[in-house]
Amino acid sequence: MAERSPEQRYGEFVAVRRHATHVAELALDRPKAMNAVSTEMARSLAAACEALAADRDARVVVVTSTHERAFCVGADLKERNSLTDAELVRQRPVARAAYTGVLELPMPTIAAVHGYALGGGFELALACDLIVADRTAVVGLPEVSVGVIPGGGGTQLLPRRVGAARAAELIFSARRVEATEARELGLVDDLVEAGHDREEALALGARIAANSPVGLRAAKRALRLGHGLDLRTGLEVEDAAWRSVAFSGDRAEGVAAFNEKREPEWPGE
């Protein structure tokens, strides 16, 4: 595995580690609460994502957990229980910024999931482009069982993965889904042996990051913006993304490297 540079901390509960492969690791690090997302942690996630979005050296982001038995168990319900209605209203934009921060990262993103990924925890994974899970993973959106709904993007992201009816069944039933069924239903993309989710996600990230950073960001933009559009409109989105890379330094380097039978050295512009 690639050597790590020193961690950069965002508050007490979020760390960013930069790997030599141009992969940035966004680590959820609140082990005493199984990474439950408090207001403070949400602010830190949003701040880390803002920094990563502007980091031209980061070609892929992998979201990981430092807790042995959980990726993230969702919102900090103990904190929520202590909030007045007015405080909950003020807290809502802070929480939303954490989830949209991950969702709107311009480079490819991968979630490395083990153990519990429930509620907002699973929504953080759903905000990523790909989910690598190990065989201990248990995922689900149980919010209706505590009187709320998925509010970190779950009602919109889950049907985009598994279809409207399947998403309705999972959200309405609030049921937890274990790893094998989660892979069968398409709730996760890759299923790996227990304890190997982070390793495999970082390896996948490195393979992706070997490609053009300009091309990766443009491809992600086309995939995200084109989803759900009619075909003709979607092809216009694709054409705009193509035009943004067709005259780039990465395109010139990629063609030259291919013709010269060498590995490309991407300028990233």
Side-chain angles (χ1 to χ4, degrees), residues 131-185:
I131 302 174
V132 175
D134 82 0
R135 293 189 180 277
T136 69
V138 179
V139 305
L141 297 175
E143 284 88 345
V144 297
S145 70
V146 293
V148 290
I149 69 166
T155 66
Q156 305 306 304
L157 295 170
L158 188 59
R160 284 168 167 77
R161 266 191 166 266
V162 300
R166 178 63 68 192
E169 183 267 319
L170 291 167
I171 291 171
F172 296 163
S173 69
R175 73 184 179 94
R176 301 179 179 192
V177 182
E178 296 187 359
T180 299
E181 184 185 5
R183 176 65 183 87
E184 291 171 353
L185 295 179

Side-chain angles (χ1 to χ4, degrees), residues 28-253:
L28 309 178
D29 188 25
R30 194 187 178 202
K32 290 182 179 179
M34 299 181 82
N35 290 330
V37 182
S38 63
T39 303
E40 180 185 349
M41 186 172 176
R43 286 197 182 97
S44 297
L45 272 170
C49 288
E50 183 179 5
L52 286 168
D55 184 352
R56 304 305 296 187
D57 188 63
R59 300 179 187 173
V60 176
V61 172
V62 177
V63 183
T64 66
S65 163
T66 64
H67 194 283
E68 292 182 355
R69 295 188 293 109
F71 175 72
C72 173
V73 294
D76 186 338
L77 296 184
K78 290 183 180 179
E79 180 191 63
R80 291 282 179 90
N81 191 50
S82 71
L83 299 178
T84 66
D85 289 352
E87 288 170 335
L88 184 59
V89 169
R90 289 194 295 271
Q91 195 255 9
R92 175 62 176 162
V94 178
R96 286 195 70 188
Y99 296 101
T100 57
V102 176
L103 183 65
E104 294 177 358
L105 283 168
M107 67 285 286
T109 51
I110 305 166
V113 173
H114 60 265
Y116 297 111
L118 301 172
F122 189 38
E123 288 173 304
L124 285 174
L126 290 172
C128 295
D129 300 300
L130 297 166
I131 302 174
V132 175
D134 82 0
R135 293 189 180 277
T136 69
V138 179
V139 305
L141 297 175
E143 284 88 345
V144 297
S145 70
V146 293
V148 290
I149 69 166
T155 66
Q156 305 306 304
L157 295 170
L158 188 59
R160 284 168 167 77
R161 266 191 166 266
V162 300
R166 178 63 68 192
E169 183 267 319
L170 291 167
I171 291 171
F172 296 163
S173 69
R175 73 184 179 94
R176 301 179 179 192
V177 182
E178 296 187 359
T180 299
E181 184 185 5
R183 176 65 183 87
E184 291 171 353
L185 295 179
L187 298 174
V188 304
D189 300 300
D190 292 332
L191 187 59
V192 301
E193 293 305 312
H196 290 273
D197 54 296
R198 177 178 174 272
E199 174 188 349
E200 294 293 341
L202 288 171
L204 174 59
R207 292 195 296 274
I208 293 171
N211 297 307
S212 158
V214 171
L216 289 171
R217 290 180 180 227
K220 176 166 179 170
R221 191 163 63 249
L223 283 163
R224 286 286 179 91
L225 295 179
H227 186 91
L229 300 177
D230 65 88
L231 180 58
R232 180 170 293 180
T233 305
L235 289 173
E236 291 303 314
V237 169
E238 181 182 81
D239 186 65
W242 178 86
R243 290 176 185 276
S244 74
V245 301
F247 309 103
S248 68
D250 273 15
R251 194 276 307 173
E253 168 62 11

